[in-house]
Amino acid sequence: MSYLLPNLTKKKQVDSIIRDTIDKVLVLRFGRASDALCLQLDDILSKSAREVSKFATVAVVDIDSEDVQVYVKYFDITLVPSSVFFFNAHHMKMDSGTADHTKWVGAFHTKQDFIDVVEAVFRGAMKGKLIVSCPLPPERIPKYQLLYKEI
Amino acid sequence: MMKSADKKRKKESKKCEFEFCKVCNLNHDHGNRHKYFPNHTKSLSTFLHRFQTKLSDIRFFLRNPTILRPELASRNRFWCVVCDAEVDEIGSSFACANAINHLASADHAKKLKHFLWKYGGGMDHADNFRFSEADLAKWEKKCHSLNDGSSSCSDRTNGLQIGPSNDIQNELSYKSINDFENNNLGPLTPKFLNNVLPLQYNTHKYQISQSGHPATAADGRIVCGAHITASGNACSASDRWNSNNITGWQNSQHCIPHTDAVGTSNFGNGGVSVLLTPFDLSFRVNTWPLEGAIYTLYTQLMVIFSGLASIAQVSVMAPGLAEGNVHTGAPPPWLEMTVEHHPEDTSVPLSSKKGKSKLNPKRVGAAWAEKRKAELEMEKRGEIVNSDCGPNWLPNFGRVWQSGSRKESLKEFESEKPELPKVEVDPEMPITLRPYVSKRMVDVILSVEVNCVRLSMEKTVMGPDGMWQPNGMEKECISGMPKIEVCSLPGMLQQLVWGGYSTLWIQVALDLAYLLGVILQKQSVAP
């Protein structure tokens, strides 16, 4: 699970990984190790991390650590797990037909889905697009309800 | 005037039936106008050009009639685009005989005229696409002479054509392979055979069309290739071969270099043929000594006739052999290649890095990436870098409920941040409802109360039911608290004050109370 992926608990670590990943997509998973869906996502991430290693880096952030709460607030993370994509320290949005384009909420069905998503992000980023559309069909995208400002 | 213009327009716009133009390969409803369209003229020129090339091949055979081998007859088919008919060569004894006959026929001429009329090729060019009777007559004469010539040396040759054209396609009847083996094949005297027929030029139609200039030979060079076929029939070339001694044989004008790849193998009736092209041999001979050429020729033949008849001989690659092979102990080519490539390796990663640096400059965060790379390099060198990454650094993020550019997201977040510690804690205070009592009223009530107490003490008091009663309650009224129910005021006033009536009434009540108080005071003062 997380022993294969860098596990980040401090804001400084998150900062450094965002700043040091150059010309590669950075996938930051925000979640906790006790959540079942999060574990499923971690499984997929760790298995496909090597396959996308040429154009992507995957890291895991523990949502329960205090130091990282500022990021939790900044990224508006309300549902677990949530994955945020970065490219050259710029945040990449993905339109997957859900309400929240700024992150990917939920897990992936297969490794290939994850690889496709990361590839789409990479291709868009290389072309200079800050938002890309999701290559997965709607049935493979996890659905969720996003409440307005946490009401 | 107008009517004629209309008529013209009508004529032009008159639609014809759809018909197919085989030159353009499309259906059109332009009618007769179609042949003047520029697209059609272009297609027509390419179309006729293609037909012309085929005709030129046939024309060659018109001038040089050659005997057609029956096995190969089935391959020579000719489609006459003018007549929309296929002409095959089954049953013809000479190459393209049927085609020549067809092209010279009157029927073809008639159809050709119709074709040119319909597709607009120019009626004067008709002769390019047909053979005249004179040509046909000449050709037939030649054919006859060929036939006669072949029959005269039938004891050795079966239909071998002796003449200027040494055509494999024609002859090729062979004795069995055993004949080859029985011959003494010395390394320097390839008198192979009865079975060897030297090929002096391309014989196949397509080869001819592709062939270039005839090869010229210098002294002592082999210019012709050796076409070796083994088939059931006997064929002779032995005399010719013997007569054409390799060492002194000069090329004839019919020798045309074969530009195709060497080493084709035609599997005839279970036979094997190896084609060594004149071009290749001449090329090699230019770099080789004569003995070498003869030796390789010999080795190839030995390979063929030693029973490995089914293996196609690899073409003789001169440079490789000259450099060495497994037998001579030379290093294998792949090792040499790696040695060559090692000095290239250092250049390859550089070029790949250069390729990387040509990453799309428009990619997301390109400027930031370049800046960061520079920073990292400086850090590697040990220089201190001014990093603007303080503890409060946050990446460029487009927030969920954000409207506006991302630069505002940080600002929004910063503004939201100080609100977080200011969490309001509601004090728990039970809310009790009380009638509103103003300070003034409180004072008045107190004073009235006091006075009433005095009044009650001296005189009769007002009982609770609002009637004045004799004073029985002395101490009950003395209280600091505005307990109005105990107060011994006139009932109306009491009710007014306690009930919380409107301010007007309260004001009235207050005035009355004031007056009352004043009166009472006076009364008390003035006994």
Coordinates of all heavy atoms in Angstrom, one line a residue, chain A residues 11 15 18-23 70-71 73-76 84 86-93 100 102-103 124-130 146-149, chain B residues 359-360 362-366 368-370 372-373 375-376 387-402 406 409-410 413 416-417 420:
Chain A
K11 N 3.6 19.5 5.8 CA 3.4 20.4 4.7 C 4.7 20.6 3.9 O 4.6 20.8 2.6 CB 2.9 21.8 5.2 CG 2.6 22.8 4.1 CD 2.3 24.1 4.6 CE 1.9 25.0 3.5 NZ 3.0 25.5 2.7
D15 N 5.2 20.3 -0.1 CA 5.7 21.5 -0.8 C 6.9 21.0 -1.7 O 6.9 21.3 -2.9 CB 6.2 22.6 0.1 CG 5.1 23.4 0.7 OD1 3.9 23.2 0.2 OD2 5.3 24.2 1.6
I18 N 5.9 18.8 -4.6 CA 5.2 19.6 -5.7 C 6.3 20.4 -6.5 O 6.2 20.4 -7.7 CB 4.1 20.5 -5.1 CG1 3.0 19.7 -4.5 CG2 3.6 21.5 -6.2 CD1 1.9 20.6 -3.9
R19 N 7.2 21.0 -5.8 CA 8.2 21.8 -6.4 C 9.2 21.0 -7.2 O 9.8 21.5 -8.2 CB 8.8 22.7 -5.4 CG 7.9 23.8 -4.9 CD 8.5 24.4 -3.6 NE 9.7 25.1 -4.0 CZ 9.7 26.4 -4.4 NH1 8.6 27.1 -4.5 NH2 10.9 27.0 -4.6
D20 N 9.5 19.8 -6.7 CA 10.6 19.1 -7.3 C 10.2 18.2 -8.5 O 11.0 17.7 -9.2 CB 11.3 18.2 -6.3 CG 12.0 19.1 -5.2 OD1 12.3 20.2 -5.6 OD2 12.3 18.6 -4.1
T21 N 8.9 18.0 -8.7 CA 8.5 17.1 -9.8 C 8.4 18.0 -11.0 O 7.4 18.8 -11.1 CB 7.1 16.5 -9.5 OG1 7.1 15.9 -8.2 CG2 6.7 15.5 -10.5
I22 N 9.3 17.9 -11.9 CA 9.4 18.8 -13.0 C 9.1 18.0 -14.3 O 9.6 16.9 -14.5 CB 10.8 19.4 -13.1 CG1 11.1 20.2 -11.9 CG2 10.9 20.3 -14.3 CD1 12.5 20.7 -11.8
D23 N 8.2 18.5 -15.1 CA 7.8 17.9 -16.3 C 7.2 16.5 -16.2 O 7.3 15.7 -17.1 CB 9.0 17.9 -17.3 CG 9.4 19.2 -17.7 OD1 8.6 20.2 -17.7 OD2 10.6 19.4 -18.1
V70 N -3.8 22.6 6.3 CA -3.9 23.8 5.5 C -4.2 23.4 4.0 O -4.9 24.0 3.3 CB -2.7 24.6 5.7 CG1 -1.4 24.0 5.1 CG2 -2.9 26.0 5.1
Y71 N -3.5 22.3 3.6 CA -3.7 21.8 2.3 C -5.1 21.2 2.1 O -5.8 21.3 1.1 CB -2.7 20.7 1.9 CG -1.5 21.3 1.3 CD1 -0.2 21.1 1.8 CD2 -1.5 22.2 0.2 CE1 0.9 21.6 1.3 CE2 -0.4 22.8 -0.3 CZ 0.8 22.5 0.2 OH 2.0 23.0 -0.3
K73 N -7.7 22.2 3.6 CA -8.6 23.3 3.4 C -8.4 24.0 2.1 O -9.4 24.4 1.4 CB -8.4 24.4 4.5 CG -8.7 23.9 5.9 CD -9.7 24.7 6.6 CE -10.2 24.1 7.9 NZ -9.5 23.0 8.4
Y74 N -7.2 24.2 1.7 CA -6.9 24.9 0.4 C -7.5 24.1 -0.8 O -8.0 24.7 -1.7 CB -5.4 25.0 0.3 CG -4.9 25.9 -0.8 CD1 -5.5 27.1 -1.1 CD2 -4.0 25.4 -1.7 CE1 -5.0 27.9 -2.1 CE2 -3.5 26.2 -2.8 CZ -4.1 27.4 -3.0 OH -3.6 28.2 -4.0
F75 N -7.4 22.8 -0.7 CA -7.9 22.0 -1.8 C -9.3 21.7 -1.7 O -9.9 20.9 -2.5 CB -7.0 20.8 -2.0 CG -5.6 21.0 -2.3 CD1 -4.6 20.1 -2.0 CD2 -5.2 22.1 -3.0 CE1 -3.3 20.3 -2.3 CE2 -3.9 22.4 -3.3 CZ -2.9 21.4 -2.9
D76 N -9.9 22.1 -0.6 CA -11.4 21.8 -0.4 C -11.6 20.3 -0.4 O -12.5 19.8 -1.1 CB -12.2 22.4 -1.5 CG -12.4 23.9 -1.2 OD1 -12.3 24.3 -0.1 OD2 -12.7 24.6 -2.2
V84 N -5.3 14.8 -6.3 CA -5.1 16.0 -7.0 C -4.0 15.9 -7.9 O -3.0 15.3 -7.6 CB -4.9 17.2 -6.0 CG1 -4.9 18.5 -6.6 CG2 -5.9 17.1 -4.8
F86 N -1.0 17.6 -10.4 CA -0.2 18.7 -10.6 C 0.8 18.5 -11.7 O 1.2 17.4 -12.0 CB 0.7 19.0 -9.3 CG -0.1 19.5 -8.2 CD1 -0.6 18.6 -7.2 CD2 -0.3 20.8 -8.0 CE1 -1.3 19.1 -6.2 CE2 -1.1 21.3 -6.9 CZ -1.6 20.4 -6.0
F87 N 1.1 19.6 -12.4 CA 2.2 19.5 -13.4 C 3.0 20.8 -13.3 O 2.5 21.9 -13.5 CB 1.5 19.4 -14.8 CG 2.5 19.1 -15.9 CD1 2.9 17.8 -16.1 CD2 3.1 20.1 -16.6 CE1 3.9 17.5 -17.1 CE2 4.0 19.8 -17.6 CZ 4.4 18.5 -17.9
N88 N 4.3 20.6 -13.0 CA 5.2 21.8 -12.8 C 4.6 22.7 -11.8 O 4.5 24.0 -12.1 CB 5.4 22.4 -14.2 CG 6.4 21.7 -15.0 OD1 7.2 20.9 -14.5 ND2 6.4 22.0 -16.3
A89 N 4.2 22.2 -10.7 CA 3.6 23.0 -9.6 C 2.3 23.8 -10.0 O 1.9 24.7 -9.3 CB 4.6 24.0 -9.1
H90 N 1.8 23.4 -11.1 CA 0.5 24.0 -11.5 C -0.6 22.9 -11.3 O -0.4 21.8 -11.7 CB 0.5 24.5 -12.9 CG 1.2 25.8 -13.1 ND1 2.5 26.0 -12.7 CD2 0.8 27.0 -13.6 CE1 2.8 27.2 -13.0 NE2 1.8 27.8 -13.5
H91 N -1.7 23.3 -10.9 CA -2.8 22.3 -10.6 C -3.5 22.0 -11.9 O -3.8 22.9 -12.7 CB -3.7 22.9 -9.6 CG -5.0 22.2 -9.4 ND1 -6.2 22.8 -9.6 CD2 -5.2 20.9 -9.2 CE1 -7.2 21.9 -9.4 NE2 -6.6 20.8 -9.2
M92 N -3.7 20.8 -12.2 CA -4.4 20.4 -13.4 C -5.8 19.9 -13.0 O -6.1 19.1 -12.1 CB -3.7 19.2 -14.0 CG -2.3 19.5 -14.5 SD -2.3 20.6 -15.9 CE -3.2 19.7 -17.1
K93 N -6.8 20.4 -13.8 CA -8.2 20.1 -13.5 C -8.6 19.0 -14.5 O -8.1 19.0 -15.7 CB -9.1 21.3 -13.7 CG -8.8 22.4 -12.7 CD -10.0 23.4 -12.7 CE -9.6 24.6 -11.9 NZ -10.8 25.5 -11.8
D100 N -17.0 18.3 -9.3 CA -15.7 18.9 -8.9 C -14.7 18.5 -9.9 O -14.3 17.4 -10.1 CB -15.3 18.3 -7.5 CG -14.1 19.0 -6.9 OD1 -13.6 19.9 -7.6 OD2 -13.8 18.7 -5.8
T102 N -11.7 19.8 -9.8 CA -10.3 20.1 -9.3 C -9.6 18.9 -8.8 O -8.4 18.9 -8.6 CB -10.4 21.1 -8.2 OG1 -11.1 20.6 -7.1 CG2 -11.0 22.4 -8.6
K103 N -10.3 17.8 -8.6 CA -9.7 16.6 -8.0 C -10.5 15.4 -8.5 O -11.6 15.5 -9.1 CB -9.7 16.7 -6.5 CG -11.1 16.9 -5.9 CD -11.0 16.9 -4.4 CE -10.8 18.3 -3.9 NZ -11.8 19.3 -4.0
G124 N -2.6 16.7 -21.9 CA -3.1 18.1 -21.9 C -2.1 19.1 -21.4 O -2.0 20.2 -21.9
A125 N -1.4 18.6 -20.4 CA -0.4 19.5 -19.8 C 0.7 19.9 -20.8 O 1.2 21.0 -20.9 CB 0.2 18.9 -18.5
M126 N 1.1 18.9 -21.6 CA 2.2 19.1 -22.6 C 1.7 20.1 -23.6 O 2.5 20.8 -24.3 CB 2.6 17.8 -23.2 CG 3.6 17.1 -22.4 SD 5.0 18.2 -22.0 CE 6.2 17.1 -21.4
K127 N 0.4 20.1 -23.9 CA -0.1 21.0 -24.8 C -0.4 22.4 -24.3 O -0.8 23.3 -25.0 CB -1.4 20.5 -25.4 CG -1.2 19.3 -26.4 CD -2.5 19.0 -27.1 CE -2.3 17.8 -28.0 NZ -3.5 17.2 -28.4
G128 N -0.3 22.5 -23.0 CA -0.5 23.8 -22.3 C -1.9 24.0 -21.8 O -2.4 25.1 -21.5
K129 N -2.7 22.9 -21.7 CA -4.1 23.0 -21.2 C -4.1 22.8 -19.7 O -3.5 21.8 -19.2 CB -4.9 22.0 -21.9 CG -5.1 22.2 -23.3 CD -6.0 21.2 -24.0 CE -5.8 21.2 -25.5 NZ -6.8 22.1 -26.1
L130 N -4.8 23.6 -19.0 CA -4.9 23.5 -17.5 C -6.1 22.6 -17.2 O -6.2 22.1 -16.0 CB -5.1 24.8 -16.9 CG -3.8 25.6 -16.8 CD1 -4.0 27.0 -16.3 CD2 -2.8 25.0 -15.8
L146 N -21.6 16.5 -4.1 CA -20.8 17.6 -3.5 C -21.7 18.6 -2.9 O -22.5 19.2 -3.6 CB -19.9 18.2 -4.6 CG -18.8 19.1 -4.1 CD1 -17.8 18.3 -3.4 CD2 -18.2 19.8 -5.3
L147 N -21.5 18.9 -1.6 CA -22.4 19.8 -1.0 C -21.8 21.2 -1.1 O -20.6 21.4 -1.0 CB -22.5 19.5 0.5 CG -23.0 18.0 0.7 CD1 -22.9 17.7 2.2 CD2 -24.4 17.8 0.3
Y148 N -22.6 22.2 -1.2 CA -22.1 23.5 -1.4 C -21.6 24.1 -0.1 O -22.3 24.2 0.9 CB -23.2 24.4 -1.9 CG -22.8 25.8 -2.1 CD1 -22.0 26.2 -3.2 CD2 -23.2 26.9 -1.3 CE1 -21.5 27.4 -3.4 CE2 -22.8 28.2 -1.5 CZ -22.0 28.4 -2.6 OH -21.5 29.7 -2.8
K149 N -20.3 24.3 -0.1 CA -19.6 24.9 1.1 C -20.0 24.2 2.4 O -20.3 24.8 3.4 CB -20.0 26.4 1.2 CG -19.4 27.2 0.1 CD -19.1 28.6 0.4 CE -18.4 29.3 -0.8 NZ -18.1 30.6 -0.6
Chain B
L359 N 11.0 20.5 -25.5 CA 9.7 20.2 -25.1 C 8.8 21.4 -25.4 O 9.3 22.5 -25.4 CB 9.7 20.0 -23.5 CG 10.1 18.6 -23.1 CD1 10.1 18.6 -21.6 CD2 9.1 17.6 -23.6
N360 N 7.6 21.1 -25.6 CA 6.7 22.2 -26.0 C 6.8 23.4 -25.0 O 6.5 23.3 -23.8 CB 5.3 21.6 -25.9 CG 4.3 22.6 -26.4 OD1 4.6 23.8 -26.7 ND2 3.0 22.2 -26.5
K362 N 5.0 25.7 -24.7 CA 3.7 26.1 -24.3 C 3.1 25.2 -23.2 O 1.9 25.4 -22.9 CB 2.7 26.2 -25.5 CG 3.1 27.2 -26.5 CD 2.0 27.2 -27.5 CE 2.5 27.8 -28.8 NZ 1.6 27.5 -29.9
R363 N 3.9 24.3 -22.8 CA 3.3 23.3 -21.8 C 3.0 24.0 -20.5 O 3.5 25.1 -20.2 CB 4.2 22.1 -21.6 CG 5.4 22.4 -20.9 CD 6.3 21.2 -20.9 NE 7.5 21.4 -20.0 CZ 8.5 22.1 -20.3 NH1 8.6 22.6 -21.5 NH2 9.5 22.2 -19.5
V364 N 2.2 23.4 -19.7 CA 1.8 23.9 -18.5 C 3.0 24.1 -17.6 O 3.8 23.2 -17.4 CB 0.7 23.0 -17.8 CG1 0.5 23.5 -16.4 CG2 -0.5 23.0 -18.6
G365 N 3.1 25.3 -17.0 CA 4.2 25.5 -16.1 C 5.6 25.5 -16.6 O 6.5 25.2 -15.9
A366 N 5.7 25.8 -17.9 CA 7.0 25.7 -18.6 C 8.0 26.6 -17.9 O 9.1 26.3 -17.6 CB 6.9 25.9 -20.1
W368 N 7.9 28.0 -15.1 CA 8.3 27.5 -13.7 C 9.3 26.4 -13.7 O 10.2 26.3 -12.9 CB 7.0 27.1 -13.0 CG 7.2 27.0 -11.5 CD1 7.0 27.9 -10.6 CD2 7.6 25.8 -10.9 NE1 7.3 27.4 -9.3 CE2 7.7 26.1 -9.5 CE3 7.9 24.5 -11.3 CZ2 8.1 25.1 -8.6 CZ3 8.3 23.6 -10.4 CH2 8.4 23.9 -9.0
A369 N 9.0 25.5 -14.6 CA 9.9 24.3 -14.7 C 11.4 24.7 -15.0 O 12.3 24.2 -14.4 CB 9.4 23.3 -15.8
E370 N 11.5 25.6 -16.0 CA 12.8 26.1 -16.3 C 13.5 26.8 -15.2 O 14.7 26.5 -14.8 CB 12.7 27.1 -17.5 CG 12.1 26.5 -18.8 CD 12.9 25.3 -19.3 OE1 14.1 25.3 -19.3 OE2 12.2 24.4 -19.8
R372 N 12.9 26.3 -12.1 CA 13.1 25.4 -11.0 C 14.4 24.5 -11.4 O 15.2 24.2 -10.5 CB 11.9 24.5 -10.8 CG 12.0 23.5 -9.7 CD 11.8 24.2 -8.4 NE 12.0 23.3 -7.3 CZ 12.8 23.5 -6.3 NH1 13.3 24.7 -6.1 NH2 13.0 22.6 -5.4
K373 N 14.5 24.2 -12.6 CA 15.7 23.4 -13.0 C 16.9 24.2 -12.8 O 17.9 23.6 -12.3 CB 15.6 23.1 -14.5 CG 14.8 21.9 -14.9 CD 14.8 21.6 -16.4 CE 13.6 20.8 -16.8 NZ 13.5 20.7 -18.2
E375 N 17.3 26.4 -10.6 CA 17.5 26.5 -9.1 C 18.2 25.2 -8.7 O 19.1 25.2 -7.8 CB 16.2 26.6 -8.4 CG 15.7 28.0 -8.3 CD 14.3 28.1 -7.7 OE1 13.9 27.1 -7.0 OE2 13.7 29.1 -7.8
L376 N 17.7 24.1 -9.2 CA 18.2 22.8 -8.8 C 19.7 22.6 -9.2 O 20.5 22.1 -8.4 CB 17.4 21.6 -9.3 CG 16.0 21.4 -8.7 CD1 15.2 20.5 -9.5 CD2 16.2 20.9 -7.3
S387 N 15.1 30.8 -2.2 CA 13.8 30.2 -2.6 C 12.7 31.0 -2.0 O 12.8 31.4 -0.8 CB 13.8 28.7 -2.1 OG 13.8 28.7 -0.7
D388 N 11.7 31.2 -2.8 CA 10.6 31.9 -2.3 C 9.6 31.0 -1.7 O 8.4 31.3 -1.5 CB 9.9 32.8 -3.4 CG 9.7 31.9 -4.6 OD1 10.1 30.7 -4.6 OD2 9.1 32.4 -5.6
C389 N 10.0 29.8 -1.4 CA 9.1 28.8 -0.8 C 9.2 29.0 0.7 O 10.0 28.3 1.4 CB 9.5 27.4 -1.3 SG 8.6 26.1 -0.4
G390 N 8.4 29.8 1.3 CA 8.4 29.9 2.7 C 7.5 28.9 3.3 O 6.9 28.0 2.6
P391 N 7.2 28.9 4.6 CA 6.3 28.0 5.2 C 4.9 28.2 4.7 O 4.0 27.3 4.9 CB 6.5 28.2 6.7 CG 7.0 29.6 6.8 CD 7.8 29.8 5.6
N392 N 4.6 29.3 4.1 CA 3.3 29.6 3.7 C 3.1 29.5 2.2 O 2.1 29.9 1.7 CB 2.9 31.0 4.1 CG 2.8 31.2 5.6 OD1 2.4 30.2 6.3 ND2 3.0 32.4 6.1
W393 N 4.0 28.8 1.6 CA 3.9 28.7 0.1 C 2.7 27.7 -0.2 O 2.6 26.7 0.4 CB 5.2 28.2 -0.4 CG 5.1 28.0 -1.9 CD1 5.3 28.9 -2.9 CD2 4.9 26.7 -2.6 NE1 5.1 28.4 -4.1 CE2 4.9 27.0 -4.0 CE3 4.6 25.4 -2.2 CZ2 4.7 26.1 -5.0 CZ3 4.4 24.5 -3.2 CH2 4.5 24.8 -4.5
L394 N 2.0 28.1 -1.2 CA 0.9 27.1 -1.6 C 0.9 27.1 -3.1 O 1.2 28.1 -3.8 CB -0.5 27.6 -1.1 CG -0.7 27.4 0.3 CD1 -2.0 28.2 0.8 CD2 -0.9 25.9 0.6
P395 N 0.7 26.0 -3.7 CA 0.8 25.9 -5.2 C -0.4 26.6 -5.8 O -1.4 26.9 -5.2 CB 0.7 24.4 -5.5 CG 0.0 23.8 -4.3 CD 0.3 24.7 -3.1
N396 N -0.3 26.8 -7.1 CA -1.3 27.4 -7.9 C -2.5 26.4 -8.0 O -2.3 25.3 -8.6 CB -0.6 27.6 -9.3 CG -1.6 28.1 -10.4 OD1 -2.8 27.7 -10.3 ND2 -1.1 28.9 -11.3
F397 N -3.6 26.8 -7.5 CA -4.7 25.9 -7.4 C -6.0 26.6 -7.8 O -6.2 27.7 -7.4 CB -4.8 25.4 -6.0 CG -5.8 24.3 -5.8 CD1 -5.5 23.0 -6.1 CD2 -7.1 24.6 -5.3 CE1 -6.4 22.0 -6.0 CE2 -8.0 23.5 -5.1 CZ -7.7 22.2 -5.4
G398 N -6.7 25.9 -8.6 CA -8.0 26.5 -9.0 C -9.0 25.9 -8.0 O -9.3 24.7 -8.1
R399 N -9.6 26.6 -7.2 CA -10.5 26.1 -6.2 C -11.8 25.7 -6.7 O -12.2 26.1 -7.8 CB -10.6 27.1 -5.0 CG -9.3 27.6 -4.5 CD -9.4 28.4 -3.3 NE -9.7 27.5 -2.1 CZ -10.2 28.0 -1.0 NH1 -10.4 29.3 -0.8 NH2 -10.4 27.2 0.0
V400 N -12.6 25.0 -5.9 CA -13.8 24.4 -6.4 C -14.9 25.4 -6.6 O -15.5 25.4 -7.7 CB -14.3 23.4 -5.3 CG1 -15.6 22.7 -5.9 CG2 -13.3 22.4 -5.0
W401 N -15.1 26.3 -5.7 CA -16.2 27.2 -5.8 C -15.6 28.6 -6.2 O -16.2 29.6 -5.9 CB -16.9 27.4 -4.5 CG -17.4 26.0 -4.1 CD1 -16.9 25.3 -3.0 CD2 -18.5 25.2 -4.7 NE1 -17.6 24.1 -2.9 CE2 -18.6 24.0 -3.9 CE3 -19.3 25.4 -5.7 CZ2 -19.5 23.1 -4.2 CZ3 -20.2 24.4 -6.0 CH2 -20.3 23.3 -5.3
Q402 N -14.5 28.6 -6.9 CA -13.9 29.8 -7.3 C -14.4 30.4 -8.5 O -14.7 29.6 -9.5 CB -12.4 29.6 -7.4 CG -11.6 30.8 -7.6 CD -10.2 30.4 -8.0 OE1 -9.9 29.3 -8.3 NE2 -9.3 31.3 -7.8
R406 N -6.9 32.0 -11.1 CA -6.3 31.2 -10.0 C -5.5 32.1 -9.0 O -5.3 31.7 -7.9 CB -5.4 30.1 -10.5 CG -6.2 29.0 -11.2 CD -5.2 27.9 -11.5 NE -5.9 26.8 -12.2 CZ -5.3 25.7 -12.4 NH1 -4.1 25.5 -12.1 NH2 -6.0 24.7 -13.0
S409 N -7.2 32.6 -6.0 CA -7.5 31.6 -5.1 C -6.6 31.7 -3.8 O -7.1 31.5 -2.7 CB -7.2 30.2 -5.7 OG -5.8 30.1 -6.0
L410 N -5.4 32.0 -4.0 CA -4.5 32.2 -2.8 C -5.1 33.3 -1.9 O -5.1 33.2 -0.7 CB -3.1 32.6 -3.2 CG -2.1 31.4 -3.1 CD1 -0.7 31.9 -3.6 CD2 -2.0 31.0 -1.6
F413 N -8.0 32.3 -0.1 CA -7.7 31.4 1.0 C -7.1 32.1 2.1 O -7.4 31.9 3.3 CB -6.7 30.3 0.5 CG -6.4 29.3 1.5 CD1 -7.4 28.4 1.9 CD2 -5.1 29.2 2.0 CE1 -7.1 27.4 2.8 CE2 -4.8 28.2 3.0 CZ -5.8 27.3 3.4
E416 N -9.7 33.7 4.0 CA -10.5 32.8 4.8 C -9.8 32.3 6.0 O -10.3 32.0 7.0 CB -10.9 31.5 3.9 CG -12.0 31.8 2.9 CD -12.1 30.6 2.0 OE1 -11.7 29.5 2.4 OE2 -12.7 30.8 0.9
K417 N -8.5 32.3 5.9 CA -7.7 31.8 7.0 C -7.9 32.5 8.3 O -8.1 31.8 9.3 CB -6.2 31.9 6.6 CG -5.5 30.6 6.4 CD -4.0 30.8 6.2 CE -3.3 29.5 6.3 NZ -1.9 29.6 6.0
L420 N -10.8 31.5 10.6 CA -10.9 30.2 11.2 C -10.7 30.2 12.8 O -11.6 29.7 13.5 CB -9.9 29.2 10.6 CG -10.1 28.8 9.2 CD1 -8.9 28.1 8.7 CD2 -11.4 28.0 9.0

